[in-house]
Amino acid sequence: MNHKKFMQVWSLAVGSMDACTGLLLIFAPVMVLQLMRVPPVDQSSLVFLSWMGVFIGSVGLSYGLVFRGNREAETVWIFTAIVRVMVAVFLILKISTGVLPIAWSLVAATDGLVAFTQFLILRAGWWKGGAE
């Protein structure tokens, strides 16, 4: 598989993961927390989880722009990697201070890994046709 094909498959997989998670958070936030083994939250907090779902789903759908061209794809990868780093750092801080349960570390690790991978590929210049 060449680099461009790999990056498109990666974008489809990661984007689908976020889009699906976002939809589930919008329509079934309690189920998502149960799947993550996160302790239940107050009923009034569920609207904020659904609101987070809108954001997460939008980030996921943004990966669809990689199919418009390399310039758009590179921009999407830069933006989503920055967002993922910020989410990972926020979660690590909140987990380490006891504000959020350790179950959220899976999200931090996933976002951190995806961001790291995307930054490595961006640095290698694959979207610019480098290191074919």
Side-chain angles (χ1 to χ4, degrees):
M1 178 182 311
N2 67 26
H3 289 159
K4 186 167 185 172
K5 189 64 158 175
F6 169 80
M7 294 181 298
Q8 288 175 335
V9 169
W10 173 274
S11 297
L12 184 63
V14 173
S16 295
M17 174 184 69
D18 283 349
C20 290
T21 300
L23 281 173
L24 285 172
L25 280 169
I26 293 167
F27 296 109
V30 173
M31 182 187 80
V32 173
L33 293 181
Q34 289 171 342
L35 289 171
M36 291 174 56
R37 301 195 193 299
V38 171
V41 296
D42 184 75
Q43 189 71 21
S44 63
S45 299
L46 296 179
V47 68
F48 296 104
L49 283 173
S50 293
W51 188 19
M52 285 172 44
V54 172
F55 172 75
I56 294 165
S58 298
V59 169
L61 292 174
S62 75
Y63 278 93
L65 296 172
V66 304
F67 297 99
R68 292 194 64 187
N70 288 2
R71 183 172 160 211
E72 292 88 345
E74 188 174 35
T75 302
V76 167
W77 273 40
I78 292 167
F79 171 74
T80 57
I82 291 168
V83 169
R84 288 177 184 285
V85 166
M86 294 182 74
V87 168
V89 168
F90 172 83
L91 289 172
I92 290 166
L93 289 172
K94 294 303 177 182
I95 293 165
S96 66
T97 57
V99 175
L100 287 174
I102 194 79
W104 285 99
S105 61
L106 179 61
V107 177
T110 301
D111 278 341
L113 179 63
V114 171
F116 180 74
T117 302
Q118 287 182 196
F119 279 133
L120 282 178
I121 290 171
L122 285 162
R123 184 172 167 86
W126 287 12
W127 284 115
K128 289 180 171 65
E132 291 289 336

